[in-house]
Amino acid sequence: MATNQGKQETRRGSGIDAIDLQSILGPARMNFEKEAGSPFSDGYSIRGEELALADYVESGASESDPRFDRYVELLDRRERLSQMKAEHRERRGADPLVPISDAQAIDDLGMLVDDGVDQMTIHTIEALRMFYGRAREPGSKVAPIIGGRRIAASLRNLWLLTANNNPYADWALVRYERGLQEVQEHLRGAIQHCEERMDQQRKLGLIYTVAASSNPVNVNLGFKSPYGYDISTLIVQYDYFVRLQKTLNRKSLQSDSQMRESLSIASRAILKVFYDTARFSRWLSRSEMADLNRADWVGADDQARKRIEFAMQVFGPVPAVIYKVEVAPSHSRRRYSLSDAERAVLQQVGAQLEADEQDQRHDETESPIEAPAEPTSSTETV
């Protein structure tokens, strides 16, 4: 047990697993304002939360702030209330048991396409919004919600930067892959649980089918990097997860609040991975950072020194295992045929980075202090 704990501490110390999703995927509950007469069963107050988060929203709604989760929840509640009102109008005030007519697909996304075009089929509005994101409202200072399509572009940018032997691009992709893996493991576990609930009903003689859209949307993909297809896999997995959650809710196998909590946990975990990836892409795409590469660590050029200082100020030191390519992203455009001199440089700089990491861990053990928040921008887009 002690050995496993030591391995976990070492891995955290390397900086690779810096995306902490436990605050989202764990059992913690979110605090929020309540009010009598709320349209939500848990008493959630949209007005109360708007007042509580007014200063945070006015300052730009930074995703690095602990209140970001509450802000995402507020956006989700606003959208839910809007949908509830729209459904009420569609029903013309009739009983909720009356079915709503099929809604037209957003922007006619179900159009015919030529043979050979990669597509993904989406059944739920939650998954479609997760893929398309939410644009900034004109005249508003509030940061947009990044979607899968934009993150696919960010990942392509980072993937292209690996061709320049950029260690921070490698680091960003490794962080993304590991965060994505953790989110997908959570989704797979939740999906399995839902399917087991339905199997139990089947054994009793109740055969339920998974809810599906009467008019699903086929989205053309056409990604320009392998990582774009990771995003499409995540979106359809999330889409199926949402369908299962709503199926269990409709069949009275889970409550409304249980369904909403499950959906909220998954969406916030995905967004946390998205925002971390977008932050790397945005900073590394700046003109002064375009030439950043591993040779900068041993070069005497003043511009190289400035690039390293800038990267360390924004992201911190790159982990030694990343610099030495002992840990690398699954897909890279980096050149692998290195000369003996280039290999020697990797080992030399990597050894120094390892020594710095050990000194830092020693200092933190001797006098632990709270780590400062990573510099981010509330208006970050890619």
Side-chain angles (χ1 to χ4, degrees):
M1 184 68 179
T3 302
N4 291 336
Q5 183 178 359
K7 289 182 179 179
Q8 293 175 357
E9 291 177 353
T10 300
R11 194 169 65 178
R12 285 196 296 268
S14 67
I16 297 175
D17 294 326
I19 307 177
D20 180 15
L21 298 178
Q22 291 306 310
S23 61
I24 294 176
L25 302 181
R29 296 293 184 268
M30 182 185 300
N31 295 322
F32 51 79
E33 299 292 329
K34 297 183 179 181
E35 65 181 4
S38 169
F40 304 103
S41 60
D42 58 1
Y44 185 95
S45 171
I46 290 180
R47 178 57 180 166
E49 284 294 281
E50 288 175 341
L51 294 174
L53 299 175
D55 293 342
Y56 167 67
V57 173
E58 181 65 24
S59 65
S62 170
E63 65 273 10
S64 64
D65 192 288
R67 292 170 291 179
F68 179 67
D69 287 349
R70 286 181 64 177
Y71 173 61
V72 173
E73 180 69 15
L74 175 60
L75 293 178
D76 182 60
R77 297 289 183 137
R78 287 172 176 168
E79 179 63 26
R80 263 188 248 157
L81 181 59
S82 177
Q83 291 180 10
M84 291 162 62
K85 291 180 178 179
E87 290 173 2
H88 184 78
R89 289 193 299 269
E90 285 289 332
R91 288 194 302 266
R92 300 295 190 270
D95 191 280
L97 292 177
V98 177
I100 301 174
S101 60
D102 296 339
Q104 183 180 4
I106 298 177
D107 296 328
D108 297 324
L109 290 173
M111 65 180 66
L112 295 175
V113 295
D114 296 333
D115 291 339
V117 175
D118 293 327
Q119 291 185 326
M120 67 176 175
T121 302
I122 298 179
H123 292 259
T124 65
I125 186 65
E126 289 84 358
L128 198 59
R129 287 281 170 81
M130 184 65 72
F131 186 60
Y132 284 156
R134 189 188 306 273
R136 184 197 308 275
E137 182 180 353
S140 172
K141 296 181 180 179
V142 178
I145 301 298
I146 298 178
R149 175 73 80 177
R150 185 170 292 275
I151 292 304
S154 297
L155 289 165
R156 179 177 182 269
N157 180 51
L158 293 168
W159 177 63
L160 293 174
L161 287 174
T162 62
N164 196 37
N165 200 17
N166 186 326
Y168 278 91
D170 288 347
W171 189 19
L173 292 175
V174 169
R175 287 165 61 95
Y176 158 76
E177 290 177 5
R178 298 196 174 188
L180 178 68
Q181 180 182 9
E182 188 171 351
V183 170
Q184 289 183 315
E185 287 177 355
H186 171 77
L187 290 176
R188 281 192 291 268
I191 287 172
Q192 181 180 355
H193 174 73
C194 293
E195 291 176 337
E196 288 174 352
R197 294 290 304 277
M198 296 183 67
D199 285 340
Q200 291 172 359
Q201 299 301 307
R202 186 176 294 109
K203 292 177 181 178
L204 295 175
L206 295 171
I207 301 176
Y208 295 145
T209 59
V210 178
S213 173
S214 60
N215 187 26
V217 177
N218 294 320
V219 180
N220 292 345
L221 302 179
F223 295 118
K224 302 300 183 182
S225 82
Y227 286 103
Y229 293 93
D230 275 348
I231 294 295
S232 62
T233 300
L234 171 65
I235 294 299
V236 295
Q237 187 178 17
Y238 176 67
D239 185 52
Y240 183 58
F241 160 78
V242 174
R243 291 169 58 197
L244 282 170
Q245 292 293 327
K246 292 190 173 184
T247 298
L248 294 185
N249 178 254
R250 292 181 180 184
K251 311 305 180 186
S252 194
L253 296 177
Q254 70 172 350
S255 66
D256 293 349
S257 61
Q258 288 173 328
M259 179 190 69
R260 286 195 294 267
E261 181 182 12
S262 296
L263 296 180
S264 178
I265 288 173
S267 63
R268 286 187 286 120
I270 293 171
L271 287 173
K272 193 161 188 177
V273 176
F274 280 5
Y275 273 95
D276 184 80
T277 302
R279 184 171 64 91
F280 269 88
S281 177
R282 187 176 74 88
W283 286 111
L284 294 178
S285 298
R286 293 171 65 114
S287 58
E288 61 266 37
M289 296 293 288
D291 296 327
L292 181 67
N293 65 89
R294 283 176 169 84
D296 287 348
W297 272 255
V298 293
D301 181 62
D302 185 59
Q303 293 301 315
R305 178 182 57 79
K306 290 181 179 179
R307 286 192 291 267
I308 295 175
E309 290 177 352
F310 185 89
M312 291 187 65
Q313 179 184 3
V314 175
F315 306 111
V318 63
V321 291
I322 295 291
Y323 185 88
K324 294 192 296 182
V325 203
E326 292 177 355
V327 175
S330 299
H331 306 284
S332 174
R333 295 171 62 87
R334 177 176 173 272
R335 181 172 58 88
Y336 288 94
S337 55
L338 303 178
S339 65
D340 292 340
E342 288 173 325
R343 291 192 182 92
V345 168
L346 286 180
Q347 294 303 317
Q348 174 188 348
V349 176
Q352 181 58 53
L353 290 172
E354 282 183 339
D356 293 342
E357 290 172 3
Q358 291 176 359
D359 291 342
Q360 181 179 1
R361 287 195 293 271
H362 175 74
D363 293 341
E364 291 174 351
T365 302
E366 292 296 326
S367 55
I369 58 175
E370 183 179 354
E374 291 181 331
T376 57
S377 171
S378 61
T379 58
E380 177 180 342
T381 57
V382 179

